[in-house]
Amino acid sequence: MDIFEKLKEKIVSKIDCDPSKVTRDTSLIGLGIDSLDTVEMIMDLEEELGVELEFDEAVTTVDDLVKFIEKRLKEKENA
Amino acid sequence: MSFRIVSTGSYVPEKILNNEELSHMVETNDEWITQRVGIKERHISVDEPTSELGYKAAQRALDAAGVTADQIDMIICASITAEYKSPNVACMIQKKLGAACPAMDINCACSAFVFALDTAAGFFARGKAQRILVVGAERLSATVDWTHRSTCVIFGDGAGAVLLEKGENYLSSRLHSYGDNDIIRIPNYGGDSPFYKGPIEKPVINMHGQETFKFAVKSICRDIADVAEDAGIKVEDISWVVPHQANSRIIDYAKKKLPIPEDRFYLNIERFGNTSSASIPIALDELNRKGCFKRGELLALCAFGGGLSSAACIIRW
C-alpha cells in the first residue's frame, strides 16, 4: 500500500488543491495543513486501515508524516 | 426515578477579552485563534471568585422557576477552579443563596457537569431529594499561563446552572475515566512544607493539543452512539447535541461523523471560549432562553477533558 498516495489524496480533498502541489518535500504548514488537520487525517487513516496509530512526533513535511505512518504500521506488523 | 430539568440560568463576568487584545499580550492573532479553535472572545473575571459566578447563575435558575433557596435539597457544583481547597464552591454558593442543604463539588474537569447530573440522578433514585441544583462554575483565567500562547487563548470564565426536580427525563448516561496526567494536567502544590522535596510545577493548565483533540473526537462519537442505544433511541432521533465547548474543530469533526444534521449541534465557543464544566449549562441556558427546546425533544449532552474523562447523557426536555 502506498501511504504517500493515500495521504496525498486526503490532503487534496481536505484543502481542495491541485494534486501536483503535493510532493514528498512539501511543507504541511505551507499547504495550510495545521496540527489538528494532521490528527484528523491520521484518524481517517486509522479508520480505513483498522489500526491505531499513536501520534507523538513533530512533523514538518508530507514525507515526515508518510515516514511516521509507515514506521507505526511496521511496528504494528511486528508486534 | 430520575429527574427533569425545571429551569436554567447562567452568568458570565462583564469583562470581555477579544483576540485583538490578546494579540498584544502574546504572539498570536485573530486569524490563527479563529481557525485553530473557533474563538473570537472570552469573558474574564476581574474580581469575582468562582463561587460568585456560580451563585449568580444558580440564582437566575431559581428565579426562572420561582423556587426559593430553602426549597433545594442539594447543591452539586462541577468545578476545577474553586477559590478555596476548602470550603468547596458548592458550600460558598449555598452560603450566598442562603440555602441550608448539603453541598458538594465534583472534580472531573470539563466532563464534570455530566458527572454531576449523574450524581444527582442517583440521589433522586434513592428518594433522597425532591429538588437539586446542579451548577458548573469556572474561573479558568486564574489557572492559565498568560505567556503560553497555545493555551491562554482557549479558556474563559463563566457559570451555568440547572434546577432539577424528580422526574423521568434522564434517559441514559455513560461516564468514563482513563487515569492520565500527561495529556492534560493542572498541578496544585501551593504549600511551603520544609519536608517536601518533590517537583513544584506552576499551577496552570498543561495540555497537549493533538492528543486532546484525538481523545475528544473519539469520545464524542462513541459516547453519543452509546447513550442513544442505552436510551433505546436512534442517534438520528436526537434533536439537540449540546457538547462541551472545547474547540470548534472538535465539534466540526463530530458533525462529519455523526448522522445528525449540523444545525442541531449547538456552538457558542466563539463568544465564551472554553469554560470547562460551565460550558454545557451555559449553552443549555442560552438555548432554553431563546425558546429553542420543545417539550419532548431529546438532548444529547457530551463532554470530555482532564482525567482523562468523558461523559454523555440523553435528556428528554
Side-chain angles (χ1 to χ4, degrees):
Chain A
M1 167 192 359
D2 191 332
I3 294 296
F4 170 68
E5 285 303 324
K6 259 197 177 307
L7 198 59
K8 184 173 166 178
E9 203 179 287
K10 296 218 170 295
I11 292 171
V12 168
S13 92
K14 187 170 251 317
I15 59 170
D16 197 18
C17 72
D18 184 335
S20 66
K21 286 203 164 139
V22 184
T23 68
R24 283 184 177 261
D25 295 332
T26 314
S27 144
L28 290 164
I29 289 288
L31 286 170
I33 302 275
D34 67 21
S35 61
L36 298 186
D37 291 318
T38 308
V39 178
E40 283 188 22
M41 291 191 298
I42 290 175
M43 289 176 66
D44 289 343
L45 273 175
E46 284 180 331
E47 212 173 284
E48 283 168 34
L49 306 175
V51 290
E52 186 126 349
L53 306 165
E54 196 188 325
F55 184 56
D56 56 2
E57 281 181 24
V59 291
T60 307
T61 64
V62 173
D63 196 46
D64 291 341
L65 188 53
V66 169
K67 287 200 170 113
F68 158 76
I69 294 167
E70 285 172 344
K71 185 177 85 180
R72 279 279 181 271
L73 287 174
K74 202 163 192 178
E75 283 168 7
K76 296 274 169 195
E77 272 172 32
N78 296 336
Chain B
M1 177 63 62
S2 61
F3 62 73
R4 66 185 183 91
I5 296 178
V6 179
S7 64
T8 60
S10 64
Y11 174 80
V12 288
E14 197 181 333
K15 180 180 172 51
I16 293 173
L17 179 67
N18 64 31
N19 292 349
E20 163 63 17
E21 290 167 278
L22 255 175
S23 71
H24 298 293
M25 296 171 64
V26 285
E27 197 189 332
T28 189
N29 58 63
D30 177 56
E31 189 188 357
W32 188 90
I33 301 171
T34 307
Q35 283 179 4
R36 183 69 174 230
V37 288
I39 299 166
K40 286 284 186 189
E41 58 188 38
R42 67 289 289 148
H43 291 251
I44 303 289
S45 169
V46 176
D47 55 6
E48 294 167 298
T50 303
S51 69
E52 186 67 15
L53 309 179
Y55 155 66
K56 286 175 174 161
Q59 187 63 62
R60 287 178 179 178
L62 292 182
D63 290 346
V67 166
T68 52
D70 60 323
Q71 295 176 298
I72 316 166
D73 299 317
M74 174 164 280
I75 300 169
I76 305 175
C77 184
S79 185
I80 46 167
T81 50
E83 61 259 42
Y84 304 113
K85 282 180 185 167
S86 182
N88 61 32
V89 182
C91 281
M92 294 307 292
I93 292 173
Q94 183 222 42
K95 178 183 172 182
K96 289 172 183 184
L97 287 173
C101 58
M104 64 180 181
D105 282 6
I106 302 269
N107 176 339
C108 284
C110 303
S111 309
F113 186 74
V114 180
F115 274 72
L117 289 179
D118 211 62
T119 305
F123 281 94
F124 284 116
R126 289 189 290 125
K128 299 278 281 184
Q130 303 288 319
R131 255 187 219 104
I132 298 180
L133 192 56
V134 177
V135 185
E138 301 286 7
R139 187 188 182 187
L140 292 154
S141 61
T143 60
V144 298
D145 179 346
W146 286 98
T147 65
H148 192 261
R149 65 179 183 154
S150 299
T151 50
C152 77
V153 302
I154 297 173
F155 298 98
D157 300 337
V162 293
L163 179 67
L164 311 176
E165 274 182 9
K166 270 198 321 191
E168 301 290 350
N169 289 0
Y170 188 66
L171 305 186
S172 64
S173 65
R174 293 271 183 127
L175 311 179
H176 297 286
S177 298
Y178 312 90
D180 180 287
N181 57 345
D182 289 326
I183 297 176
I184 307 172
R185 174 175 78 248
I186 310 174
N188 193 29
Y189 183 73
D192 55 0
S193 162
F195 305 105
Y196 183 68
K197 300 293 180 210
I200 296 177
E201 288 181 275
K202 210 171 160 185
V204 294
I205 299 170
N206 293 261
M207 187 169 73
H208 292 290
Q210 286 175 311
E211 286 93 335
T212 304
F213 179 84
K214 192 172 176 183
F215 172 73
V217 293
K218 284 193 168 181
S219 299
I220 286 195
C221 298
R222 181 204 57 214
D223 292 350
I224 288 183
D226 286 346
V227 290
E229 189 183 348
D230 292 349
I233 64 166
K234 290 188 196 133
V235 173
E236 294 90 318
D237 296 334
I238 293 168
S239 305
W240 292 96
V241 178
V242 185
H244 164 48
Q245 310 282 314
N247 179 333
S248 60
R249 299 271 294 272
I250 293 171
I251 299 166
D252 288 344
Y253 191 86
K255 282 179 186 172
K256 283 192 283 181
K257 295 284 172 187
L258 289 165
I260 301 171
E262 291 200 0
D263 63 352
R264 299 276 108 177
F265 287 78
Y266 191 65
L267 205 56
N268 64 8
I269 190 172
E270 190 180 62
R271 290 173 287 122
F272 300 113
N274 176 342
T275 57
S276 188
S277 65
S279 80
I280 289 177
I282 290 173
L284 281 174
D285 187 50
E286 282 200 333
L287 281 160
N288 183 27
R289 284 176 195 260
K290 282 193 247 176
C292 295
F293 296 143
K294 294 187 188 74
R295 185 180 277 273
E297 279 189 331
L298 297 169
L299 280 52
L301 315 187
C302 58
F304 42 83
L308 297 171
S309 61
S310 76
C313 64
I314 299 285
I315 294 175
R316 191 189 299 117
W317 191 254

